[in-house]
Amino acid sequence: RRCAKGEIHLNIYGVPEGRSISLSTYPPLDIRSGRGGGAQVVARADGFVTHNESLTVSAVSSTSVSIFLLATGTQAGQALLVLRWGLAPSSLDLVVMPVGMEDSWVDARQRPVGDPRGSARAYAGRDQLSIAWFNRSTDAAQTSIVRERYEAQHGLGAYDGPQVVSIQSPVAGQYRVYVSVPPLAACPVPTDSDTAVGVDPVFQEGDSVEVDLYLANAVAASVKLQRSGGKWWYVGYLLVTEDGEAHWASVQQILLDDPLNTFYGQVKLVLRDTVSFTAATDYSAVQYTAFFGGLCQCVAGTPTCDCFGETTASGIVGPNSAPCPDEQCAGGSWQQGDFNAIYLPRQRSVYLLRVRAAGYADRVVAVDAFRSSLAYVIMVPLPRQGDLRIVLTWGARPLDLDLWAIPERDIRSATYWNNKGPNSGVRLDTDATTGNGPESITFSGAALDGTYRIAVNVYSFNGADACAGMDNNRSFTARGAGLNDLMNRCEFQGGELVEFFASAGLVKLSEMTVARPGSSWWLAGVLTKRNLSYSFDEGAQDTKTTCAALMTDDSGACRGPYCCNGCNSNCGECSAACGATIQVQLMLTDAVRFDWTTDYSDVQYEAHDGACGCFFGTSECNCSGAAVATGEVGFDMTPCAAPTRFAAGSCPDRWWSYAVYLPADATDGAVYGLVLRKAGYADRVVSVAAGDDGVARVVMVPLQPAGQLLVVLTWAAQPRDLDLWLVPADGGNATFWDRPGPNRGVQLFRDAVSGFGPETTA
């Protein structure tokens, strides 16, 4: 019947016909006064869960609402989702999508018979995604996602729900809840037109849509639509842990793409604490948000980082999949498992992930969703008023970096791994030795006033292979370590970060922006403490300093592991003679072929303090200026494995030389020209900066017989992949990576996909 003004019209579902229902409202409403207002409607029925509904009652029109009453005594461990909405949109779908399940989990993978959208995808593998449609499973022991009540067909007029989906016997994982607006068929073609007219509906401002979650016969969450503009509403997800506990996380995100037809990549967070990690540490409620296509800025003087871009995912970290054994948590971390990992659309690849928790500074990390990955997040608890916390973080290599606080008044009281303190109010909180960090030093308000140098050292004695192989002539040898150990573990790789936090948040940061081959000490900053305040010398940073420069008296701190009596010292060049050179590593590859028979040991190099040039029509290159160094490239530090009778050989596709040492020249813009020569090859020329260590990549080009042409493409580190094409003008087959040939005498020999090249066509 037609509803009177001010009347509340209830559609109650789930209760069998003939069962008594009790209704009440509070506070009492005086509709006759012409005023409406907020009210709570309470619906009760014997054997059903009491339902409380908040609504706004109008005094000038009727108010309509749908209520679903859940029967008590539902199956243990069962979750029930109820979708309710008003007159618009005319039809909605409730979708549950499981992610992060075990390989052994089996679901009903086929959509209902006759569904025009076809079969659901199933992704194999623990590190990818399983999708289940919501039809009934025949095996009650398996997780089944069941449509308990739904509209059989769409577009048949006004329909305001509810739709009900149950999750029965859930295994550990995430159950994502979506609501979608199904497409409408085009309107009938008008008689005077050959164009079909139709509007694809989306969520609109003012749509009244709500999803209720029932757990253990009670309402666990009620989420109302607050956004508009898309066809998919990502309501949130139910996180079921391995011990069967269920946690709800609201997301409230509008999606433009169908999530059921999206490939996902898995990212697992590994959270470490800068101060301490104990059995009592709990990061389960830490919140994350993934952004795409924007940037994040951490605001100085605050604990927050503001991010801009499309919000792709959000949620809570969830339980620790690797809890501390026997209360022993030294160096421990909080790790996500498959069931509570973060799943991001793979086609977008790189995302910025912000991690936020009360009492901590926001943290931002870049993650790659194209492949499964771990993302290390260093949680920084904000210090007390008057304290200062200094945090060092880095990548997987080097294995061991050490943070130092060196007081100028008495360097014998320096705070570092072997003197953790507290040293007059300064203490080392954590000492990481397996990569990534963190290392943390905290100044208490009671720390002595004065000036402190904050330094970072690459510790060379962490294991037999960490930095072995550097002799007093500063050339690499194969004694105890390959070149990769030396290059990847014992020198700054770039990206190392030192951050300074006060009680209000981040106040300063220093970054090693580029790799520093041969450098093992970094002066990250100089701070001065006065009472409870800290100031910084903004110009005091040296990315290639020495132990001797940092330790200015005979304290003994530069002895033992930090000896400064030879060029092989862990503290870098300590003498004028050592500090007067730069180190250049040569990396050679072949434009045509590189295998275990390749031999570049006799390649000659000349370094000149002038420009170099090559001459057309010849294989020669010459340099102006005086020669400052000459020699042979020497043996390969990463030799290929020769093939055997039973196995093929393997090659790293490059020849790493012994180091070339050149006089250091700190003049701005100064460069050296290097020319490399080998019989049967064209001369090659590279330029190297004269003021710093570096790596010179050289592509060796073998000379071709008369009548043959070699086309060689080289480039820098980015883009990762360039492709060389030779296209016949007469329309014949082009030669490129997908058609390497031979195509009428044209053949692609090399196809580089990781930067620099070469790509070569003959």
Side-chain angles (χ1 to χ4, degrees):
R1 64 186 181 85
R2 299 184 64 181
C3 301
K5 293 180 180 180
E7 189 172 71
I8 301 173
H9 183 202
L10 297 176
N11 301 304
I12 301 177
Y13 299 90
V15 180
E17 186 175 359
R19 188 71 60 89
S20 174
I21 301 172
S22 168
L23 298 173
S24 60
T25 65
Y26 64 92
L29 292 172
D30 183 6
I31 301 301
R32 290 170 296 179
S33 66
R35 295 190 303 271
Q40 291 279 336
V41 175
V42 182
R44 297 181 177 89
D46 290 341
F48 291 82
V49 177
T50 298
H51 183 94
N52 291 270
E53 181 73 19
S54 299
L55 70 161
T56 300
V57 179
S58 170
V60 296
S61 63
S62 63
T63 301
S64 177
V65 65
S66 298
I67 291 177
F68 180 86
L69 292 185
L70 173 70
T72 58
T74 54
Q75 178 182 346
Q78 176 176 329
L80 204 70
L81 293 152
V82 179
L83 168 65
R84 300 181 288 125
W85 72 98
L87 295 178
S90 62
S91 182
L92 291 177
D93 269 338
L94 178 61
V95 179
V96 177
M97 185 177 80
V99 296
M101 307 305 182
E102 299 285 349
D103 281 340
S104 59
W105 180 66
V106 179
D107 60 65
R109 295 183 184 274
Q110 296 301 314
R111 294 178 177 176
V113 175
D115 191 300
R117 288 164 289 186
S119 298
R121 278 202 185 100
Y123 299 89
R126 291 170 59 91
D127 61 346
Q128 292 187 324
L129 171 67
S130 295
I131 291 180
W133 197 248
F134 29 64
N135 57 336
R136 190 177 302 275
S137 170
T138 57
D139 187 349
Q142 299 171 349
T143 293
S144 58
I145 299 172
V146 180
R147 272 181 159 178
E148 303 286 358
R149 187 181 190 282
Y150 65 100
E151 179 188 10
Q153 297 181 7
H154 296 136
L156 298 182
Y159 182 86
D160 56 359
Q163 288 197 16
V164 182
V165 171
S166 66
I167 307 173
Q168 301 174 4
S169 305
V171 296
Q174 300 172 44
Y175 297 83
R176 295 187 174 187
V177 180
Y178 298 95
V179 176
S180 70
V181 184
L184 293 180
C187 296
V189 179
T191 56
D192 58 347
S193 170
D194 58 357
T195 303
V197 178
V199 177
D200 201 13
V202 297
F203 288 109
Q204 304 285 345
E205 290 285 349
D207 284 350
S208 177
V209 185
E210 186 168 351
V211 172
D212 301 318
L213 169 68
Y214 292 84
L215 293 173
N217 296 319
V219 178
S222 186
V223 186
K224 293 184 177 181
L225 176 69
Q226 298 175 353
R227 305 182 181 227
S228 61
K231 294 185 67 63
W232 287 84
W233 173 33
Y234 184 7
V235 184
Y237 62 88
L238 183 68
L239 177 63
V240 178
T241 66
E242 292 176 323
D243 57 5
E245 292 187 4
H247 306 268
W248 172 259
S250 294
V251 175
Q252 280 281 19
Q253 181 183 349
I254 291 293
L255 306 177
L256 300 179
D257 300 322
D258 181 352
L260 299 184
N261 291 302
T262 300
F263 287 92
Y264 292 82
Q266 180 194 75
V267 176
K268 293 181 182 178
L269 295 182
V270 180
L271 283 69
R272 294 177 175 176
D273 200 287
T274 58
V275 177
S276 66
F277 191 94
T278 69
T281 301
D282 186 359
Y283 288 148
S284 60
V286 170
Q287 297 177 322
Y288 66 82
T289 307
F291 299 89
F292 174 76
L295 55 86
C296 293
Q297 296 176 331
C298 296
V299 183
T302 75
T304 61
C305 296
D306 295 330
C307 296
F308 309 92
E310 178 187 339
T311 301
T312 306
S314 61
I316 58 173
V317 167
N320 188 4
S321 66
C324 303
D326 304 323
E327 305 296 319
Q328 302 301 311
C329 294
S333 60
W334 189 281
Q335 302 180 32
Q336 288 184 315
D338 287 342
F339 68 92
N340 60 326
I342 303 170
Y343 293 87
L344 301 170
R346 293 180 60 188
Q347 65 267 32
R348 294 179 173 180
S349 188
V350 179
Y351 297 82
L352 291 177
L353 201 67
R354 182 182 64 197
V355 177
R356 175 172 287 176
Y360 289 77
D362 284 0
R363 307 300 285 167
V364 175
V365 294
V367 298
D368 184 357
F370 189 77
R371 57 186 61 85
S372 296
S373 60
L374 294 178
Y376 289 87
V377 180
I378 308 304
M379 302 295 292
V380 182
L382 296 171
R384 298 176 300 179
Q385 183 75 30
D387 291 2
L388 183 73
R389 179 155 293 137
I390 306 171
V391 179
L392 165 67
T393 55
W394 66 98
R397 294 291 188 269
L399 286 178
D400 192 357
L401 295 185
D402 288 320
L403 185 63
W404 287 59
I406 308 165
E408 285 191 348
R409 69 180 183 279
D410 180 13
I411 67 171
R412 289 171 296 183
S413 61
T415 301
Y416 66 109
W417 66 270
N418 201 32
N419 189 25
K420 297 180 179 180
N423 299 309
S424 301
V426 184
R427 72 175 186 274
L428 180 75
D429 300 311
T430 49
D431 177 27
T433 60
T434 57
N436 296 294
E439 296 231 348
S440 172
I441 288 178
T442 298
F443 283 70
S444 73
L448 294 179
D449 288 353
T451 299
Y452 296 79
R453 297 186 183 95
I454 306 303
V456 180
N457 173 242
V458 182
Y459 185 64
S460 307
F461 292 81
N462 182 8
D465 66 343
C467 270
M470 298 183 72
D471 63 20
N472 286 342
N473 294 320
R474 294 191 61 189
S475 62
F476 291 113
T477 73
R479 184 178 66 250
L483 183 68
N484 283 340
D485 292 318
L486 301 171
M487 297 298 290
N488 293 334
R489 298 189 183 188
C490 301
E491 298 162 331
F492 292 111
Q493 299 295 295
E496 294 85 0
L497 193 66
V498 175
E499 299 168 286
F500 300 76
F501 294 89
S503 59
L506 179 69
V507 294
K508 177 182 171 57
L509 63 84
S510 297
E511 183 177 8
M512 180 73 76
T513 56
V514 296
R516 284 286 183 261
S519 174
S520 57
W521 277 97
W522 167 30
L523 176 62
V526 175
L527 68 88
T528 300
K529 180 181 182 296
R530 291 286 183 268
N531 298 320
L532 297 180
S533 65
Y534 301 84
S535 60
F536 303 92
D537 183 348
E538 295 301 332
Q541 186 174 179
D542 187 349
T543 58
K544 196 175 180 183
T545 187
T546 66
C547 176
L550 293 167
M551 310 294 187
T552 55
D553 69 2
D554 191 21
S555 65
C558 279
R559 298 176 183 171
Y562 297 92
C563 60
C564 279
N565 53 7
C567 295
N568 63 332
S569 106
N570 190 47
C571 40
E573 316 87 52
C574 296
S575 67
C578 292
T581 61
I582 64 168
Q583 170 186 286
V584 177
Q585 203 73 30
L586 298 178
M587 192 185 78
L588 288 69
T589 192
D590 200 284
V592 176
R593 187 187 69 180
F594 191 99
D595 60 23
W596 69 279
T597 64
T598 303
D599 185 0
Y600 290 149
S601 60
D602 60 346
V603 171
Q604 303 287 320
Y605 68 82
E606 294 178 7
H608 294 256
D609 60 2
C612 299
C614 302
F615 303 96
F616 287 113
T618 76
S619 62
E620 297 179 358
C621 302
N622 290 314
C623 302
S624 61
V628 296
T630 61
E632 284 189 346
V633 166
F635 295 109
D636 188 1
M637 296 304 301
T638 57
C640 299
T644 67
R645 178 180 176 186
F646 302 104
S650 62
C651 269
D653 203 25
R654 59 184 180 268
W655 186 287
W656 277 101
S657 77
Y658 285 90
V660 175
Y661 296 96
L662 307 173
D665 184 351
T667 305
D668 188 30
V671 296
Y672 287 118
L674 264 69
V675 59
L676 290 90
R677 295 189 173 98
K678 177 177 172 61
Y681 285 76
D683 289 357
R684 304 298 284 167
V685 166
V686 293
S687 296
V688 297
D692 210 346
D693 296 343
V695 175
R697 298 172 181 266
V698 183
V699 176
M700 300 298 293
V701 180
L703 298 175
Q704 300 301 297
Q708 293 193 16
L709 180 71
L710 205 64
V711 183
V712 182
L713 166 66
T714 57
W715 66 97
Q718 296 293 336
R720 299 279 292 171
D721 191 2
L722 293 184
D723 289 321
L724 180 63
W725 288 56
L726 264 68
V727 185
D730 63 2
N733 286 336
T735 300
F736 62 106
W737 64 271
D738 197 37
R739 295 180 182 174
N743 299 311
R744 295 194 299 179
V746 182
Q747 182 170 357
L748 179 73
F749 281 117
R750 298 291 300 271
D751 177 25
V753 295
S754 57
F756 298 103
E759 294 235 349
T760 306
T761 300

